[in-house]
Amino acid sequence: MKIMLDTNIILDFYEDRGVQTKYAKKIMVDLWEDGVDCFITASQIKDLFYIKRKDDLEKLKEFSLGLLNDYNVVEINKEDVELALKSTGADIEDMIIAFTSKRYELDYIITNNITDYKNSPVKGITSVEFIKMNE
């Protein structure tokens, strides 16, 4: 199974967000070790640095290097952006991830903002749904 991790899942793993962190860890560590093929986009790394720009830079660099080493990092291309801009999805950033996921033939996008992927060409499911599917 091949999945795209939404930025909110990566942030849940990076930060202590209570129960969401537990689910993100289950996906990003336990299921990854069990052979789930996890993908992120290169631009999500950039987004992390923007979102967490006030955090400890060295900690964020170390975390990001771990992502680069452990997960499949894919590029966004012009067609992904164009399709996202022409889509009916309200969140363009998420639609770019959706069309990139489609191009790489991924099975699901794991997110905690399921409504952002309502019009996605790749099914968005919550971390809890994905964990239940893999038990």
Side-chain angles (χ1 to χ4, degrees):
M1 184 173 311
K2 300 187 306 185
I3 62 168
M4 175 68 76
L5 300 172
D6 192 9
T7 305
N8 59 57
I9 299 295
I10 299 168
L11 283 168
D12 288 342
F13 184 71
Y14 177 71
E15 300 177 329
D16 184 7
R17 294 185 178 191
V19 71
Q20 295 302 339
T21 298
K22 178 180 104 175
Y23 298 136
K25 181 185 180 299
K26 177 79 174 159
I27 292 168
M28 293 182 70
V29 176
D30 299 344
L31 294 176
W32 173 78
E33 288 176 349
D34 290 344
V36 173
D37 213 0
C38 298
F39 289 73
I40 61 172
T41 67
S43 69
Q44 286 175 293
I45 301 290
K46 170 201 57 77
D47 294 344
L48 287 175
F49 278 88
Y50 179 75
I51 294 166
K52 303 308 294 176
R53 64 188 171 276
K54 295 182 181 179
D55 279 17
D56 179 333
L57 180 61
E58 291 307 312
K59 178 183 173 192
L60 190 54
K61 282 183 179 181
E62 184 178 326
F63 177 76
S64 297
L65 286 169
L67 292 174
L68 293 175
N69 288 326
D70 293 342
Y71 304 104
N72 299 296
V73 180
V74 297
E75 293 293 330
I76 293 168
N77 69 21
K78 179 181 176 180
E79 182 182 358
D80 301 330
V81 175
E82 186 175 354
L83 289 167
L85 291 170
K86 291 178 179 178
S87 76
T88 58
D91 188 319
I92 297 303
E93 182 182 348
D94 288 335
M95 286 297 96
I96 292 171
I97 288 174
F99 284 102
T100 302
S101 298
K102 179 181 179 187
R103 183 166 48 89
Y104 283 92
E105 300 179 349
L106 305 185
D107 300 304
Y108 298 102
I109 300 167
I110 311 305
T111 182
N112 288 323
N113 294 331
I114 199 72
T115 57
D116 290 346
Y117 291 96
K118 182 174 67 172
N119 297 315
S120 172
V122 175
K123 184 176 176 145
I125 61 173
T126 68
S127 53
V128 173
E129 290 173 313
F130 185 73
I131 290 166
K132 286 181 180 177
M133 283 174 41
N134 287 280
E135 287 181 336

